Amino acid sequence: HFRNNIVMVSGPTRGLGKSFVTVNLAAVMAASGKRVLLIDADLRNGHLHRYFGVGREHGLSNAIAGAMSVQDIVHRGVLENLDFIPTGALPPNRSEFLLPLNFGTLLEAVSVEYDLVLIDPPPILAVADALIIGAHAGAVFILARAGRTTEEEINASVKRLNHAGISPQGVLFNDLSLRLSSYRYQFHREPGVQLGYSK
């Protein structure tokens, strides 16, 4: 059992298909009948709004700053059972922007309305944002891309999360060939990390 229904999916670096996987995970969970809220918390380069044909204005950054209420930033019904919060205007001081209590309070307020709150943050190794966001999540998953993400990057991501007091639940593999014999991945299994994959 996780301590809450907030799930964060992040990868070590950019270009791993993290946003694509997160959007599809949200859509699959919503299609199964779960009430899902997807939050684009990448205040540096977030672009999930493009998947749903909405703007980034009036989003997370506006609510954290206290300029808008949570109810005013949620795009309801972007898919059946799926609501969405875009980044809002991208602030200049991104990591510092996530530190105020407003962010944690916002997550607590929305989590009671949904079965699952799914957060898409910046990469783990690039900036501190994912560590700040992950502290609020009941479950954290690292996304790796077959043929691109290295064992060292996964290990470094796990260590960085651990140093922040976060224990990731597992590794999700993107773009993994089902003909596993053609790959020779020997990922070092960190204690407590279950390895899984997504196609």
Side-chain angles (χ1 to χ4, degrees):
H1 290 287
F2 301 131
R3 60 188 173 91
N4 60 41
N5 61 342
I6 300 168
V7 175
M8 182 184 85
V9 178
S10 187
T13 58
R14 293 205 182 278
L16 307 179
K18 174 177 58 70
S19 295
F20 176 80
V21 168
T22 305
V23 166
N24 278 277
L25 177 59
V28 167
M29 295 302 292
S32 75
K34 301 285 188 187
R35 292 172 303 144
V36 181
L37 175 65
L38 175 62
I39 302 177
D40 190 345
D42 187 345
L43 298 184
R44 297 163 192 279
N45 196 39
H47 58 268
L48 293 190
H49 57 281
R50 296 176 189 164
Y51 286 96
F52 305 112
V54 301
R56 77 159 74 249
E57 310 80 21
H58 312 314
L60 183 62
S61 63
N62 305 88
I64 294 174
M68 299 183 75
S69 73
V70 175
Q71 299 306 320
D72 291 335
I73 64 170
V74 178
H75 291 265
R76 301 195 180 275
V78 291
L79 293 174
E80 188 175 358
N81 293 324
L82 178 60
D83 293 350
F84 171 63
I85 295 178
T87 58
L90 302 182
N93 53 336
R94 278 91 168 192
S95 288
E96 296 86 347
F97 203 74
L98 290 167
L99 286 172
L101 288 173
N102 291 9
F103 180 60
T105 304
L106 181 152
L107 289 177
E108 287 177 14
V110 297
S111 68
V112 297
E113 299 182 30
Y114 297 92
D115 297 312
L116 174 66
V117 177
L118 199 55
I119 304 180
D120 184 19
I124 298 167
L125 299 182
V127 289
D129 301 31
L131 306 181
I132 298 170
I133 295 165
H136 299 281
V140 172
F141 293 92
I142 299 170
L143 182 78
R145 186 167 190 169
R148 180 155 183 172
T149 306
T150 66
E151 177 182 346
E152 289 74 20
E153 287 172 338
I154 292 177
N155 288 338
S157 297
V158 170
K159 286 174 183 169
R160 191 152 195 220
L161 289 166
N162 286 345
H163 284 316
I166 301 165
S167 298
Q169 268 60 48
V171 177
L172 304 176
F173 286 101
N174 184 31
D175 206 21
L176 182 68
S177 170
L178 293 182
R179 298 189 304 277
L180 293 175
S181 59
S182 64
Y183 290 92
R184 292 287 180 234
Y185 287 114
Q186 299 281 322
F187 285 112
H188 172 63
R189 186 184 288 252
E190 292 284 341
V193 173
Q194 299 299 312
L195 298 185
Y197 69 85
S198 67
K199 176 63 177 166

